[in-house]
Amino acid sequence: SITEETVELLEPYLDMEDYNLETAKKVCGNVAGLCSWTQAMAYFYGINKEVLPLKANLALQEGRLAAAQMELNSAQNQLDEKQVELDEVQAMYDTAVKEKQALLDDAEACRRKMSNASALIEGLGGEKLRWTASSKNFQNQIVNLVGNVLLATGFLSYSGPFNQEYRNLLLQLWKKEMDNSKIPYSKNLNLTGMLVDNATVGEWNLQGLPNDDLSIQNGIIVTKASRYPLLIDPQGQGKIWIKNKEKNNGLQVNS
């Protein structure tokens, strides 16, 4: 209830030298209290005059702060909602990227397989003629198998005692009889290649058997015939070969 007019009316008194607590005490204690109270109220009015606008401004700013805080909370809620949506969309995006990469990898693998398959098909296409010829050759071998085996068994059974010329003559005579009997056989039959492989022949050569056709045929007869062979061996080549061949089998020689 203190007004500016009241304070102005008090100022002449407040400016007096003897208007103070000490002087008033000398007169009356109650007057001293009133004197001190009026000075305090005047001082309070001066301070409060400056504080009131600040309080009003504080209330205004607090109101603004509250409104801003509400807006901030609302914006934060919206941000949180959008962040959740963003996380969901990001997860979907990551999944889509992984699926895309998996599809790209599968596509690349398919392209490699198609390339390899194309190369294989092209390569197999070039082998078609050879396979066709090989199949035909196998069919011919099946048809001629009986005659070829007959020639091979005849060679093993009967040509041992004879030289190369007479062996060839025997084969020609047998082929003629087989033609008359219509027994199929391979016209270009190689008995050596039929009865022994090249690796075995090479091993025989390392063991001391000569590399000519007659010696190889003799080696075939010795190893393939069912009867014990009798070697006519003036140069001792057959003896050396047999010793080396059977050395690891405990061969005993009575010299």
Side-chain angles (χ1 to χ4, degrees):
S1 63
I2 299 174
T3 63
E4 185 176 359
E5 181 181 0
T6 303
V7 175
E8 288 179 355
L9 292 173
L10 281 174
E11 281 182 0
Y13 299 97
L14 296 176
D15 292 337
M16 292 180 180
E17 292 181 0
D18 55 354
Y19 194 84
N20 53 62
L21 180 62
E22 297 299 328
T23 304
K25 280 181 178 181
K26 296 177 182 180
V27 177
C28 180
N30 293 333
V31 174
L34 181 61
C35 177
S36 177
W37 179 77
T38 55
Q39 287 179 332
M41 290 298 99
Y43 179 76
F44 168 77
Y45 175 79
I47 298 301
N48 195 43
K49 184 178 180 180
E50 297 178 0
V51 171
L52 287 177
L54 295 178
K55 286 183 176 181
N57 186 50
L58 175 61
L60 177 62
Q61 298 304 325
E62 286 178 346
R64 292 180 178 178
L65 176 62
Q69 189 64 46
M70 291 180 61
E71 292 180 1
L72 176 61
N73 293 336
S74 177
Q76 185 64 46
N77 292 334
Q78 293 182 3
L79 177 61
D80 294 339
E81 293 176 358
K82 297 303 179 182
Q83 185 63 46
V84 172
E85 295 178 2
L86 177 61
D87 293 339
E88 294 176 354
V89 173
Q90 184 67 41
M92 295 174 60
Y93 172 76
D94 294 340
T95 302
V97 170
K98 291 181 180 178
E99 292 178 355
K100 176 184 176 182
Q101 188 60 44
L103 292 174
L104 291 175
D105 294 340
D106 290 343
E108 183 62 26
C110 289
R111 279 194 291 269
R112 289 197 300 268
K113 290 180 180 179
M114 290 177 62
S115 178
N116 294 335
S118 299
L120 180 60
I121 291 173
E122 292 177 359
L124 295 178
E127 294 292 318
K128 181 179 179 180
L129 296 177
R130 187 178 67 84
W131 286 350
T132 301
S134 297
S135 177
K136 185 177 181 180
N137 185 36
F138 291 150
Q139 292 296 327
N140 293 334
Q141 289 182 9
I142 294 173
V143 172
N144 298 330
L145 182 61
V146 175
N148 293 341
V149 172
L150 181 59
L151 290 173
T153 53
F155 170 79
L156 291 174
S157 300
Y158 299 106
S159 63
F162 306 109
N163 59 19
Q164 185 70 57
E165 181 179 359
Y166 198 79
R167 289 177 182 178
N168 292 336
L169 179 60
L170 282 176
L171 286 175
Q172 296 303 322
L173 292 175
W174 291 339
K175 289 180 179 180
K176 184 176 180 181
E177 290 296 329
M178 292 171 68
D179 289 336
N180 293 334
S181 300
K182 297 182 179 180
I183 299 175
Y185 63 91
S186 299
K187 303 300 180 182
N188 57 348
L189 177 65
N190 181 1
L191 289 175
T192 301
M194 180 180 178
L195 295 173
V196 70
D197 56 77
N198 293 330
T200 303
V201 173
E203 185 177 358
W204 288 352
N205 296 149
L206 293 175
Q207 292 167 349
L209 184 70
N211 196 30
D212 59 278
D213 291 339
L214 181 62
S215 297
I216 294 174
Q217 289 179 359
N218 290 338
I220 293 173
I221 294 172
V222 168
T223 56
K224 301 293 184 180
S226 59
R227 292 177 293 181
Y228 291 106
L230 175 62
L231 271 64
I232 301 173
D233 187 29
Q235 297 180 353
Q237 294 175 330
K239 180 180 179 181
I240 295 173
W241 170 60
I242 291 177
K243 283 184 176 181
N244 292 331
K245 183 176 183 300
E246 301 297 332
K247 178 172 61 177
N248 297 328
N249 297 325
L251 177 66
Q252 297 181 5
V253 179
N254 185 12
S255 56

